[in-house]
Amino acid sequence: MNLTHNYLEGINREEGQKELLERSLEAHRSRRWVINSIYAISLLVVVLCFYFHVPQPALVAIILICICATSEILYRALDKKIELRLKRIKQEKRKVIFKGNKP
């Protein structure tokens, strides 16, 4: 009885973890507007620097491009990390189902 209870508790925990990761992935992807706003603000700053003849506007532009590229890389890395964790949980669930179906 105790083994069955522990097994069912483990399954419920795995399902909860899977749902939590799916929600986390959806929430992460819905925050894409943050990256887009960083791009828009950076573009606006670069245009204003060139318009008002700020000293070394090219340097400002390069720094802002680096910030945008870094934020994009971090965004994609986090997205990939969440996807891989979700994929691993699904594979583990398949293994458990497959092992349960063997005679």
Side-chain angles (χ1 to χ4, degrees):
M1 177 68 183
N2 194 17
L3 291 175
T4 305
H5 178 72
N6 289 341
Y7 176 74
L8 291 175
E9 192 174 285
I11 289 175
N12 289 339
R13 191 176 328 118
E14 288 175 6
E15 287 296 321
Q17 189 178 25
K18 179 183 167 191
E19 288 178 19
L20 182 64
L21 278 174
E22 287 174 347
R23 282 193 221 135
S24 176
L25 186 61
E26 289 174 18
H28 174 69
R29 289 184 174 162
S30 70
R31 289 189 207 111
R32 182 71 187 173
W33 64 271
V34 174
I35 300 295
N36 292 337
S37 63
I38 290 171
Y39 294 156
I41 291 170
S42 298
L43 180 64
L44 180 65
V45 168
V46 168
V47 169
L48 290 174
C49 284
F50 279 104
Y51 181 75
F52 290 114
H53 303 291
V54 174
Q56 300 177 343
L59 182 62
V60 172
I62 290 171
I63 290 171
L64 289 174
I65 288 171
C66 289
I67 290 171
C68 289
T70 304
S71 64
E72 182 70 26
I73 290 168
L74 291 174
Y75 182 86
R76 288 187 184 189
L78 182 59
D79 191 51
K80 185 61 83 173
K81 179 181 175 184
I82 294 171
E83 280 181 355
L84 289 175
R85 286 177 62 196
L86 189 58
K87 190 180 218 182
R88 185 184 48 181
I89 287 174
K90 288 179 181 179
Q91 286 176 344
E92 288 174 0
K93 185 178 178 185
R94 282 189 212 125
K95 285 179 184 177
V96 168
I97 291 171
F98 183 72
K99 285 180 182 179
N101 290 337
K102 277 191 170 181

